[in-house]
Amino acid sequence: MKITRETLEKQQIWIYGVTLVIGGIAGMAGKDSGLSWGWTISPLIAVLMYAMFAQIPFLKLREAMSNLKFMAALLIGNFLAVPVVVWVLTAIFPQSPPILLGVCLVLLPLYLWLFIGKEVIGAVHAGPFLEAFLLLIAVPLLAAVMTQLWADKKPAGEKVLEWTAWLPVPFMALVLLAVVATQIGKVISDAGIIIRVIPIYLLFLLIMPFVSRFIAYAFRLNTGEGRALIFSAGTRNSLAVLPLALALPDAWASLAAAVIVTQTIVELIGELVYIKAVPGWLLK
């Protein structure tokens, strides 16, 4: 059977699920074998971010921005509704500073300084955060835009841009494999602490679709736009912030990283529900 890009995209959740299992087995099989993969995480995330950025039509953003209703709904959903929901959930389920930092990193990193206390701020240094932003976001973003400019002028660039469309699914799988293999031991050893964040993640996945549905109704979005809003607000790009957690002091890094890995696992399960529930029930 010929594997197409569409096949990969349709089966991506199952691919990620199998990858999680393989990574977990590899990580538990031997401490050294799992940890030895740690150096691969940042390079893999950088390639993944480049591949994902390359699929965003930056040269046509002016046309996309013309849909002001949808853009306003996205901004309100991600930068107003999400922080309020997370603030309420973390108030209902209070966490220790390292755990709270991990939760805030994975659910609302741009609002981090508003939600964490003085003790947490003292443990966070700007240098590693800035380095991670430059290497994992700014550089891949610039490379993606340059690739699109090349593709707009040269056939060879167009072929490269088409080739990048194959990268997101396999590199997401590789990132998950490396992350789980290196962090599964921490998740298991600190399970008693980490399990207390699972209600936050589950309730977030449960609440945000209904909040997003209300925003979509308020802005009179069409069905496709409403579904896009639900997935945008309900899911997080958790692996992109993992290097930020690993840049924390050792005592904090292990817990924060384990919290982020836990969110990734919970979210992948939640996405399986989203794929069926959103078009089948919540927004037909």
Side-chain angles (χ1 to χ4, degrees), residues 16-88:
Y16 301 154
V18 172
T19 302
L20 285 174
V21 174
I22 295 174
I25 294 173
M28 291 185 292
K31 181 179 179 181
D32 294 336
S33 63
L35 292 177
S36 65
W37 294 10
W39 69 271
T40 66
I41 293 176
S42 290
L44 287 173
I45 290 178
V47 176
L48 174 63
M49 296 302 289
Y50 163 72
M52 294 174 67
F53 283 141
Q55 308 316 305
I56 300 174
F58 289 106
L59 303 186
K60 299 180 180 179
L61 278 183
R62 181 177 298 178
E63 299 173 14
M65 292 292 287
S66 64
N67 190 344
L68 295 179
K69 289 195 305 180
F70 180 57
M71 295 303 299
L74 279 178
L75 291 173
I76 290 175
N78 283 282
F79 297 104
L80 182 60
V82 166
V84 171
V85 170
V86 174
W87 178 76
V88 171

Side-chain angles (χ1 to χ4, degrees), residues 59 145-158 160-161:
L59 303 186
V145 173
M146 292 178 65
T147 302
Q148 291 184 14
L149 290 171
W150 182 27
D152 195 44
K153 297 179 180 179
K154 301 289 184 179
E158 187 174 353
V160 171
L161 187 61

Side-chain angles (χ1 to χ4, degrees), residues 134-200:
L134 290 175
L135 295 179
L136 301 182
I137 297 179
V139 171
L141 175 60
L142 178 61
V145 173
M146 292 178 65
T147 302
Q148 291 184 14
L149 290 171
W150 182 27
D152 195 44
K153 297 179 180 179
K154 301 289 184 179
E158 187 174 353
K159 290 182 179 180
V160 171
L161 187 61
E162 291 177 359
W163 177 75
T164 63
W166 285 83
L167 299 181
V169 173
F171 269 88
M172 176 66 84
L174 289 173
V175 169
L176 284 172
L177 181 66
V179 166
V180 173
T182 56
Q183 303 300 320
I184 191 65
K186 298 173 184 177
V187 173
I188 294 174
S189 63
D190 296 316
I193 300 174
I194 294 171
I195 198 172
R196 292 186 298 213
V197 305
I198 293 181
I200 295 177

Side-chain angles (χ1 to χ4, degrees), residues 92-161:
I92 296 173
F93 301 97
Q95 307 292 328
S96 63
I99 300 296
L100 177 62
L101 178 57
V103 171
C104 289
L105 271 175
V106 77
L107 295 182
L108 60 147
L110 293 180
Y111 289 81
L112 186 64
W113 310 108
L114 295 178
F115 282 74
I116 61 178
K118 294 181 179 179
E119 182 181 355
V120 183
I121 292 175
V124 177
H125 302 290
F129 276 59
L130 180 60
E131 180 181 355
F133 173 79
L134 290 175
L135 295 179
L136 301 182
I137 297 179
V139 171
L141 175 60
L142 178 61
V145 173
M146 292 178 65
T147 302
Q148 291 184 14
L149 290 171
W150 182 27
D152 195 44
K153 297 179 180 179
K154 301 289 184 179
E158 187 174 353
K159 290 182 179 180
V160 171
L161 187 61

